[in-house]
Amino acid sequence: MPHKHVGIFGTWDLNFWTPPEELFKSKLEKNPIHPFTETSPDRFEVSLRSPWLWISSICLLATFFGTVAYYATNPLDQFLTYFVMGFMACAYSTFVYSDVRRIVLDTTRNEYEFHTGNRLVYRGHIHNVYIRLVGQKSGAGDTYYKIVLNGFHLEEQALTSSSIRRHKLEKLGRKLATRLNLNYFDFVDESVKHVVRHRCPYASPDQSVESLSQLA
């Protein structure tokens, strides 16, 4: 079975009519391990684009048109060099983020892998990858939450857009972590709602707890 390929805007949709938690719930009803696909027993994969790709692409277009506009309306001088340097920096950034990111979870071997393009960036123990509820306060004082997939040497991937309905997102995030056999962390560092299924196999019990606290 081919693994799931998620587009440039990540694993959540720009849907202004459906609340994020309902959209996420609908996706999990269609695919209980969304955004992953089970490619073999207890092996889950997802391919996606970096969330920075669209930002660098927009900057690339902006610097390109800015360079053209400056060249067309001004005599050649040192300021044009800054536009060209900005364009080149954005072009390089777009190139770096253009590779498809692939995450592989092997729960039989308790390992995960992170690939960019055809290059293996990191392979490690599964305790270092997790599902988490993250929260951020708005200027109005409300806290907005989202579910993310993150880990050591991973690029954080938002699985939902932001919502004020913490408890609904929390319930869905815990379900997904259970199905993928991953650790789940609450949005605060110390919480009774953490679900730790895997601990560092190379550390003493005290070191393992401290490591999980820092990762969360």
Side-chain angles (χ1 to χ4, degrees), residues 20-22 24-25 28 133-135 143-147 160 162-176 184-188 191-193:
E21 64 279 2
E22 295 301 325
F24 191 42
K25 179 180 178 182
L28 290 176
L133 177 72
V134 299
T143 302
Y144 285 82
Y145 303 92
K146 61 183 177 181
I147 298 294
T160 71
S162 299
S163 171
I164 60 173
R165 298 171 181 83
R166 167 190 169 186
H167 297 294
K168 290 186 177 181
L169 284 177
E170 177 185 284
K171 182 178 178 181
L172 295 170
R174 287 164 66 102
K175 280 185 177 180
L176 178 59
Y184 170 85
F185 294 110
D186 195 14
F187 79 103
V188 293
S191 173
V192 296
K193 295 184 178 180

mmCIF file of all heavy atoms in Angstrom, residues 20-22 24-25 28 133-135 143-147 160 162-176 184-188 191-193:
data_model
loop_
_atom_site.group_PDB
_atom_site.id
_atom_site.type_symbol
_atom_site.label_atom_id
_atom_site.label_comp_id
_atom_site.label_asym_id
_atom_site.label_seq_id
_atom_site.Cartn_x
_atom_site.Cartn_y
_atom_site.Cartn_z
ATOM 1 N N PRO A 20 -11.878 22.943 13.619
ATOM 2 C CA PRO A 20 -10.714 22.061 13.471
ATOM 3 C C PRO A 20 -10.881 20.702 14.120
ATOM 4 O O PRO A 20 -10.471 19.679 13.570
ATOM 5 C CB PRO A 20 -9.590 22.856 14.135
ATOM 6 C CG PRO A 20 -10.004 24.281 13.993
ATOM 7 C CD PRO A 20 -11.498 24.278 14.119
ATOM 8 N N GLU A 21 -11.498 20.674 15.321
ATOM 9 C CA GLU A 21 -11.653 19.396 16.009
ATOM 10 C C GLU A 21 -12.629 18.470 15.277
ATOM 11 O O GLU A 21 -12.450 17.248 15.255
ATOM 12 C CB GLU A 21 -12.096 19.604 17.461
ATOM 13 C CG GLU A 21 -13.463 20.234 17.645
ATOM 14 C CD GLU A 21 -13.454 21.744 17.504
ATOM 15 O OE1 GLU A 21 -12.389 22.325 17.214
ATOM 16 O OE2 GLU A 21 -14.525 22.340 17.690
ATOM 17 N N GLU A 22 -13.657 19.045 14.643
ATOM 18 C CA GLU A 22 -14.604 18.226 13.885
ATOM 19 C C GLU A 22 -13.961 17.719 12.596
ATOM 20 O O GLU A 22 -14.216 16.583 12.166
ATOM 21 C CB GLU A 22 -15.869 19.033 13.574
ATOM 22 C CG GLU A 22 -16.680 19.419 14.795
ATOM 23 C CD GLU A 22 -17.138 18.213 15.600
ATOM 24 O OE1 GLU A 22 -17.436 17.164 14.974
ATOM 25 O OE2 GLU A 22 -17.179 18.300 16.838
ATOM 26 N N PHE A 24 -10.742 17.151 12.195
ATOM 27 C CA PHE A 24 -9.797 16.118 12.609
ATOM 28 C C PHE A 24 -10.531 14.821 12.954
ATOM 29 O O PHE A 24 -10.080 13.721 12.591
ATOM 30 C CB PHE A 24 -8.997 16.625 13.803
ATOM 31 C CG PHE A 24 -7.812 15.784 14.164
ATOM 32 C CD1 PHE A 24 -6.976 15.269 13.187
ATOM 33 C CD2 PHE A 24 -7.505 15.533 15.497
ATOM 34 C CE1 PHE A 24 -5.862 14.505 13.520
ATOM 35 C CE2 PHE A 24 -6.399 14.779 15.833
ATOM 36 C CZ PHE A 24 -5.579 14.254 14.852
ATOM 37 N N LYS A 25 -11.652 14.942 13.621
ATOM 38 C CA LYS A 25 -12.453 13.770 13.967
ATOM 39 C C LYS A 25 -12.926 13.047 12.713
ATOM 40 O O LYS A 25 -12.889 11.805 12.642
ATOM 41 C CB LYS A 25 -13.662 14.190 14.813
ATOM 42 C CG LYS A 25 -14.575 13.037 15.210
ATOM 43 C CD LYS A 25 -15.753 13.527 16.045
ATOM 44 C CE LYS A 25 -16.681 12.383 16.394
ATOM 45 N NZ LYS A 25 -17.856 12.875 17.182
ATOM 46 N N LEU A 28 -10.080 11.095 11.230
ATOM 47 C CA LEU A 28 -9.765 9.899 12.003
ATOM 48 C C LEU A 28 -10.833 8.819 11.836
ATOM 49 O O LEU A 28 -10.543 7.623 11.983
ATOM 50 C CB LEU A 28 -9.606 10.258 13.482
ATOM 51 C CG LEU A 28 -8.363 11.082 13.836
ATOM 52 C CD1 LEU A 28 -8.363 11.446 15.303
ATOM 53 C CD2 LEU A 28 -7.089 10.323 13.482
ATOM 54 N N LEU A 133 -0.487 18.028 22.519
ATOM 55 C CA LEU A 133 -1.394 19.171 22.473
ATOM 56 C C LEU A 133 -0.581 20.408 22.833
ATOM 57 O O LEU A 133 0.039 20.464 23.900
ATOM 58 C CB LEU A 133 -2.527 18.980 23.484
ATOM 59 C CG LEU A 133 -3.534 20.135 23.603
ATOM 60 C CD1 LEU A 133 -4.432 20.187 22.371
ATOM 61 C CD2 LEU A 133 -4.389 19.973 24.866
ATOM 62 N N VAL A 134 -0.540 21.384 21.945
ATOM 63 C CA VAL A 134 0.191 22.618 22.245
ATOM 64 C C VAL A 134 -0.808 23.771 22.326
ATOM 65 O O VAL A 134 -1.833 23.771 21.646
ATOM 66 C CB VAL A 134 1.269 22.920 21.192
ATOM 67 C CG1 VAL A 134 2.298 21.811 21.143
ATOM 68 C CG2 VAL A 134 0.671 23.133 19.818
ATOM 69 N N GLY A 135 -0.499 24.737 23.159
ATOM 70 C CA GLY A 135 -1.389 25.883 23.347
ATOM 71 C C GLY A 135 -0.639 27.190 23.247
ATOM 72 O O GLY A 135 0.529 27.274 23.635
ATOM 73 N N THR A 143 -6.728 31.056 24.839
ATOM 74 C CA THR A 143 -5.682 30.112 24.474
ATOM 75 C C THR A 143 -6.192 29.232 23.342
ATOM 76 O O THR A 143 -7.278 28.651 23.431
ATOM 77 C CB THR A 143 -5.265 29.236 25.667
ATOM 78 O OG1 THR A 143 -4.818 30.078 26.735
ATOM 79 C CG2 THR A 143 -4.147 28.280 25.276
ATOM 80 N N TYR A 144 -5.416 29.156 22.288
ATOM 81 C CA TYR A 144 -5.765 28.326 21.132
ATOM 82 C C TYR A 144 -4.864 27.093 21.119
ATOM 83 O O TYR A 144 -3.654 27.188 21.350
ATOM 84 C CB TYR A 144 -5.610 29.114 19.836
ATOM 85 C CG TYR A 144 -6.724 30.104 19.622
ATOM 86 C CD1 TYR A 144 -6.689 31.358 20.239
ATOM 87 C CD2 TYR A 144 -7.821 29.786 18.833
ATOM 88 C CE1 TYR A 144 -7.717 32.269 20.061
ATOM 89 C CE2 TYR A 144 -8.856 30.691 18.649
ATOM 90 C CZ TYR A 144 -8.799 31.925 19.264
ATOM 91 O OH TYR A 144 -9.828 32.826 19.084
ATOM 92 N N TYR A 145 -5.470 25.947 20.833
ATOM 93 C CA TYR A 145 -4.772 24.676 20.908
ATOM 94 C C TYR A 145 -4.738 23.997 19.541
ATOM 95 O O TYR A 145 -5.602 24.228 18.696
ATOM 96 C CB TYR A 145 -5.471 23.746 21.916
ATOM 97 C CG TYR A 145 -5.586 24.323 23.301
ATOM 98 C CD1 TYR A 145 -6.712 25.048 23.677
ATOM 99 C CD2 TYR A 145 -4.566 24.145 24.236
ATOM 100 C CE1 TYR A 145 -6.824 25.585 24.949
ATOM 101 C CE2 TYR A 145 -4.670 24.683 25.514
ATOM 102 C CZ TYR A 145 -5.807 25.402 25.861
ATOM 103 O OH TYR A 145 -5.906 25.939 27.116
ATOM 104 N N LYS A 146 -3.729 23.140 19.368
ATOM 105 C CA LYS A 146 -3.658 22.297 18.184
ATOM 106 C C LYS A 146 -2.904 21.021 18.537
ATOM 107 O O LYS A 146 -2.152 20.974 19.525
ATOM 108 C CB LYS A 146 -2.980 23.019 17.018
ATOM 109 C CG LYS A 146 -1.546 23.440 17.282
ATOM 110 C CD LYS A 146 -0.986 24.221 16.087
ATOM 111 C CE LYS A 146 0.434 24.713 16.378
ATOM 112 N NZ LYS A 146 0.996 25.486 15.244
ATOM 113 N N ILE A 147 -3.097 20.005 17.734
ATOM 114 C CA ILE A 147 -2.400 18.745 17.909
ATOM 115 C C ILE A 147 -1.221 18.709 16.950
ATOM 116 O O ILE A 147 -1.375 19.011 15.765
ATOM 117 C CB ILE A 147 -3.331 17.544 17.633
ATOM 118 C CG1 ILE A 147 -4.500 17.528 18.630
ATOM 119 C CG2 ILE A 147 -2.570 16.226 17.695
ATOM 120 C CD1 ILE A 147 -4.082 17.265 20.054
ATOM 121 N N THR A 160 -3.624 19.611 13.158
ATOM 122 C CA THR A 160 -4.873 20.365 13.112
ATOM 123 C C THR A 160 -4.537 21.851 13.053
ATOM 124 O O THR A 160 -3.423 22.252 13.385
ATOM 125 C CB THR A 160 -5.754 20.119 14.355
ATOM 126 O OG1 THR A 160 -5.146 20.748 15.499
ATOM 127 C CG2 THR A 160 -5.931 18.630 14.630
ATOM 128 N N SER A 162 -5.780 25.669 14.664
ATOM 129 C CA SER A 162 -5.985 26.052 16.070
ATOM 130 C C SER A 162 -7.455 26.149 16.442
ATOM 131 O O SER A 162 -8.297 26.580 15.650
ATOM 132 C CB SER A 162 -5.296 27.388 16.346
ATOM 133 O OG SER A 162 -3.915 27.286 16.129
ATOM 134 N N SER A 163 -7.746 25.765 17.693
ATOM 135 C CA SER A 163 -9.112 25.793 18.217
ATOM 136 C C SER A 163 -9.073 26.099 19.709
ATOM 137 O O SER A 163 -8.095 25.771 20.395
ATOM 138 C CB SER A 163 -9.796 24.439 17.978
ATOM 139 O OG SER A 163 -11.043 24.375 18.650
ATOM 140 N N ILE A 164 -10.140 26.706 20.214
ATOM 141 C CA ILE A 164 -10.233 26.957 21.649
ATOM 142 C C ILE A 164 -10.803 25.752 22.396
ATOM 143 O O ILE A 164 -10.801 25.715 23.620
ATOM 144 C CB ILE A 164 -11.105 28.196 21.952
ATOM 145 C CG1 ILE A 164 -12.528 27.986 21.418
ATOM 146 C CG2 ILE A 164 -10.473 29.457 21.391
ATOM 147 C CD1 ILE A 164 -13.500 29.074 21.817
ATOM 148 N N ARG A 165 -11.256 24.734 21.651
ATOM 149 C CA ARG A 165 -11.897 23.555 22.261
ATOM 150 C C ARG A 165 -10.839 22.531 22.652
ATOM 151 O O ARG A 165 -10.634 21.521 21.971
ATOM 152 C CB ARG A 165 -12.941 22.983 21.312
ATOM 153 C CG ARG A 165 -14.072 23.968 21.026
ATOM 154 C CD ARG A 165 -14.993 23.467 19.921
ATOM 155 N NE ARG A 165 -16.053 24.415 19.645
ATOM 156 C CZ ARG A 165 -15.909 25.468 18.840
ATOM 157 N NH1 ARG A 165 -14.760 25.700 18.232
ATOM 158 N NH2 ARG A 165 -16.927 26.292 18.633
ATOM 159 N N ARG A 166 -10.189 22.826 23.757
ATOM 160 C CA ARG A 166 -9.056 22.019 24.210
ATOM 161 C C ARG A 166 -9.419 20.556 24.426
ATOM 162 O O ARG A 166 -8.704 19.654 23.978
ATOM 163 C CB ARG A 166 -8.512 22.619 25.507
ATOM 164 C CG ARG A 166 -7.548 21.731 26.254
ATOM 165 C CD ARG A 166 -7.244 22.293 27.623
ATOM 166 N NE ARG A 166 -6.530 21.337 28.446
ATOM 167 C CZ ARG A 166 -6.245 21.520 29.729
ATOM 168 N NH1 ARG A 166 -6.623 22.644 30.327
ATOM 169 N NH2 ARG A 166 -5.594 20.601 30.413
ATOM 170 N N HIS A 167 -10.505 20.301 25.128
ATOM 171 C CA HIS A 167 -10.817 18.939 25.562
ATOM 172 C C HIS A 167 -11.154 18.023 24.383
ATOM 173 O O HIS A 167 -10.815 16.832 24.400
ATOM 174 C CB HIS A 167 -11.963 18.955 26.574
ATOM 175 C CG HIS A 167 -11.623 19.693 27.834
ATOM 176 N ND1 HIS A 167 -10.654 19.254 28.716
ATOM 177 C CD2 HIS A 167 -12.100 20.855 28.358
ATOM 178 C CE1 HIS A 167 -10.550 20.099 29.720
ATOM 179 N NE2 HIS A 167 -11.417 21.080 29.531
ATOM 180 N N LYS A 168 -11.793 18.559 23.353
ATOM 181 C CA LYS A 168 -12.098 17.737 22.185
ATOM 182 C C LYS A 168 -10.820 17.370 21.435
ATOM 183 O O LYS A 168 -10.647 16.218 21.011
ATOM 184 C CB LYS A 168 -13.076 18.475 21.269
ATOM 185 C CG LYS A 168 -14.474 18.605 21.853
ATOM 186 C CD LYS A 168 -15.445 19.216 20.841
ATOM 187 C CE LYS A 168 -16.855 19.265 21.416
ATOM 188 N NZ LYS A 168 -17.821 19.835 20.446
ATOM 189 N N LEU A 169 -9.928 18.347 21.267
ATOM 190 C CA LEU A 169 -8.661 18.056 20.607
ATOM 191 C C LEU A 169 -7.825 17.078 21.428
ATOM 192 O O LEU A 169 -7.186 16.169 20.887
ATOM 193 C CB LEU A 169 -7.866 19.346 20.388
ATOM 194 C CG LEU A 169 -8.328 20.258 19.248
ATOM 195 C CD1 LEU A 169 -7.466 21.513 19.218
ATOM 196 C CD2 LEU A 169 -8.253 19.548 17.901
ATOM 197 N N GLU A 170 -7.840 17.264 22.722
ATOM 198 C CA GLU A 170 -7.091 16.386 23.621
ATOM 199 C C GLU A 170 -7.549 14.936 23.478
ATOM 200 O O GLU A 170 -6.726 14.013 23.367
ATOM 201 C CB GLU A 170 -7.282 16.861 25.058
ATOM 202 C CG GLU A 170 -6.628 16.003 26.117
ATOM 203 C CD GLU A 170 -6.983 16.498 27.501
ATOM 204 O OE1 GLU A 170 -6.420 17.520 27.932
ATOM 205 O OE2 GLU A 170 -7.851 15.876 28.144
ATOM 206 N N LYS A 171 -8.834 14.725 23.443
ATOM 207 C CA LYS A 171 -9.387 13.379 23.324
ATOM 208 C C LYS A 171 -8.967 12.725 22.008
ATOM 209 O O LYS A 171 -8.572 11.567 21.969
ATOM 210 C CB LYS A 171 -10.915 13.447 23.417
ATOM 211 C CG LYS A 171 -11.608 12.096 23.346
ATOM 212 C CD LYS A 171 -13.110 12.258 23.490
ATOM 213 C CE LYS A 171 -13.826 10.906 23.382
ATOM 214 N NZ LYS A 171 -15.307 11.075 23.495
ATOM 215 N N LEU A 172 -9.025 13.498 20.929
ATOM 216 C CA LEU A 172 -8.651 12.966 19.618
ATOM 217 C C LEU A 172 -7.154 12.694 19.541
ATOM 218 O O LEU A 172 -6.721 11.688 18.963
ATOM 219 C CB LEU A 172 -9.080 13.947 18.526
ATOM 220 C CG LEU A 172 -10.590 14.161 18.380
ATOM 221 C CD1 LEU A 172 -10.880 15.333 17.437
ATOM 222 C CD2 LEU A 172 -11.266 12.891 17.869
ATOM 223 N N GLY A 173 -6.343 13.586 20.108
ATOM 224 C CA GLY A 173 -4.900 13.390 20.107
ATOM 225 C C GLY A 173 -4.491 12.149 20.874
ATOM 226 O O GLY A 173 -3.600 11.398 20.443
ATOM 227 N N ARG A 174 -5.142 11.892 21.999
ATOM 228 C CA ARG A 174 -4.833 10.709 22.792
ATOM 229 C C ARG A 174 -5.228 9.438 22.043
ATOM 230 O O ARG A 174 -4.515 8.424 22.102
ATOM 231 C CB ARG A 174 -5.563 10.781 24.140
ATOM 232 C CG ARG A 174 -4.963 11.803 25.092
ATOM 233 C CD ARG A 174 -5.908 12.121 26.237
ATOM 234 N NE ARG A 174 -6.120 10.974 27.094
ATOM 235 C CZ ARG A 174 -5.529 10.812 28.278
ATOM 236 N NH1 ARG A 174 -4.674 11.722 28.717
ATOM 237 N NH2 ARG A 174 -5.779 9.756 29.018
ATOM 238 N N LYS A 175 -6.328 9.501 21.316
ATOM 239 C CA LYS A 175 -6.744 8.340 20.524
ATOM 240 C C LYS A 175 -5.720 8.019 19.444
ATOM 241 O O LYS A 175 -5.355 6.859 19.222
ATOM 242 C CB LYS A 175 -8.106 8.601 19.875
ATOM 243 C CG LYS A 175 -9.288 8.414 20.797
ATOM 244 C CD LYS A 175 -10.590 8.572 20.027
ATOM 245 C CE LYS A 175 -11.797 8.322 20.927
ATOM 246 N NZ LYS A 175 -13.080 8.479 20.182
ATOM 247 N N LEU A 176 -5.265 9.061 18.753
ATOM 248 C CA LEU A 176 -4.288 8.851 17.695
ATOM 249 C C LEU A 176 -2.987 8.294 18.262
ATOM 250 O O LEU A 176 -2.395 7.365 17.689
ATOM 251 C CB LEU A 176 -4.019 10.165 16.964
ATOM 252 C CG LEU A 176 -2.981 10.112 15.842
ATOM 253 C CD1 LEU A 176 -3.392 9.111 14.765
ATOM 254 C CD2 LEU A 176 -2.766 11.496 15.230
ATOM 255 N N TYR A 184 2.110 10.427 24.419
ATOM 256 C CA TYR A 184 1.251 11.603 24.273
ATOM 257 C C TYR A 184 1.568 12.566 25.404
ATOM 258 O O TYR A 184 1.723 12.159 26.562
ATOM 259 C CB TYR A 184 -0.233 11.217 24.340
ATOM 260 C CG TYR A 184 -1.145 12.424 24.424
ATOM 261 C CD1 TYR A 184 -1.546 13.086 23.277
ATOM 262 C CD2 TYR A 184 -1.572 12.921 25.659
ATOM 263 C CE1 TYR A 184 -2.353 14.219 23.346
ATOM 264 C CE2 TYR A 184 -2.376 14.049 25.742
ATOM 265 C CZ TYR A 184 -2.763 14.686 24.580
ATOM 266 O OH TYR A 184 -3.554 15.801 24.651
ATOM 267 N N PHE A 185 1.674 13.868 25.069
ATOM 268 C CA PHE A 185 1.968 14.877 26.081
ATOM 269 C C PHE A 185 0.925 15.982 26.051
ATOM 270 O O PHE A 185 0.500 16.421 24.988
ATOM 271 C CB PHE A 185 3.360 15.475 25.873
ATOM 272 C CG PHE A 185 4.466 14.493 26.096
ATOM 273 C CD1 PHE A 185 5.221 14.031 25.027
ATOM 274 C CD2 PHE A 185 4.744 14.021 27.361
ATOM 275 C CE1 PHE A 185 6.240 13.123 25.227
ATOM 276 C CE2 PHE A 185 5.766 13.107 27.571
ATOM 277 C CZ PHE A 185 6.512 12.657 26.503
ATOM 278 N N ASP A 186 0.567 16.427 27.253
ATOM 279 C CA ASP A 186 -0.343 17.552 27.421
ATOM 280 C C ASP A 186 0.415 18.842 27.089
ATOM 281 O O ASP A 186 1.635 18.855 26.929
ATOM 282 C CB ASP A 186 -0.847 17.570 28.864
ATOM 283 C CG ASP A 186 -2.058 18.469 29.046
ATOM 284 O OD1 ASP A 186 -2.667 18.866 28.036
ATOM 285 O OD2 ASP A 186 -2.380 18.789 30.210
ATOM 286 N N PHE A 187 -0.316 19.971 27.031
ATOM 287 C CA PHE A 187 0.318 21.224 26.625
ATOM 288 C C PHE A 187 1.168 21.843 27.735
ATOM 289 O O PHE A 187 1.976 22.732 27.463
ATOM 290 C CB PHE A 187 -0.724 22.226 26.120
ATOM 291 C CG PHE A 187 -1.482 22.951 27.200
ATOM 292 C CD1 PHE A 187 -1.174 24.266 27.517
ATOM 293 C CD2 PHE A 187 -2.515 22.327 27.884
ATOM 294 C CE1 PHE A 187 -1.878 24.944 28.496
ATOM 295 C CE2 PHE A 187 -3.229 22.996 28.855
ATOM 296 C CZ PHE A 187 -2.909 24.308 29.167
ATOM 297 N N VAL A 188 1.012 21.406 28.979
ATOM 298 C CA VAL A 188 1.890 21.859 30.063
ATOM 299 C C VAL A 188 2.921 20.773 30.335
ATOM 300 O O VAL A 188 2.674 19.583 30.107
ATOM 301 C CB VAL A 188 1.095 22.179 31.348
ATOM 302 C CG1 VAL A 188 0.213 23.396 31.129
ATOM 303 C CG2 VAL A 188 0.254 20.990 31.784
ATOM 304 N N SER A 191 1.988 17.243 33.901
ATOM 305 C CA SER A 191 0.550 17.001 33.795
ATOM 306 C C SER A 191 0.243 15.528 34.038
ATOM 307 O O SER A 191 1.018 14.647 33.641
ATOM 308 C CB SER A 191 0.052 17.402 32.398
ATOM 309 O OG SER A 191 -1.300 17.027 32.210
ATOM 310 N N VAL A 192 -0.892 15.284 34.679
ATOM 311 C CA VAL A 192 -1.335 13.901 34.879
ATOM 312 C C VAL A 192 -1.905 13.322 33.584
ATOM 313 O O VAL A 192 -2.207 12.130 33.513
ATOM 314 C CB VAL A 192 -2.411 13.838 35.988
ATOM 315 C CG1 VAL A 192 -1.827 14.268 37.315
ATOM 316 C CG2 VAL A 192 -3.631 14.693 35.630
ATOM 317 N N LYS A 193 -2.030 14.161 32.560
ATOM 318 C CA LYS A 193 -2.603 13.705 31.296
ATOM 319 C C LYS A 193 -1.547 13.211 30.302
ATOM 320 O O LYS A 193 -1.899 12.782 29.196
ATOM 321 C CB LYS A 193 -3.432 14.832 30.671
ATOM 322 C CG LYS A 193 -4.652 15.196 31.520
ATOM 323 C CD LYS A 193 -5.507 16.248 30.851
ATOM 324 C CE LYS A 193 -6.736 16.556 31.700
ATOM 325 N NZ LYS A 193 -7.602 17.601 31.072
#
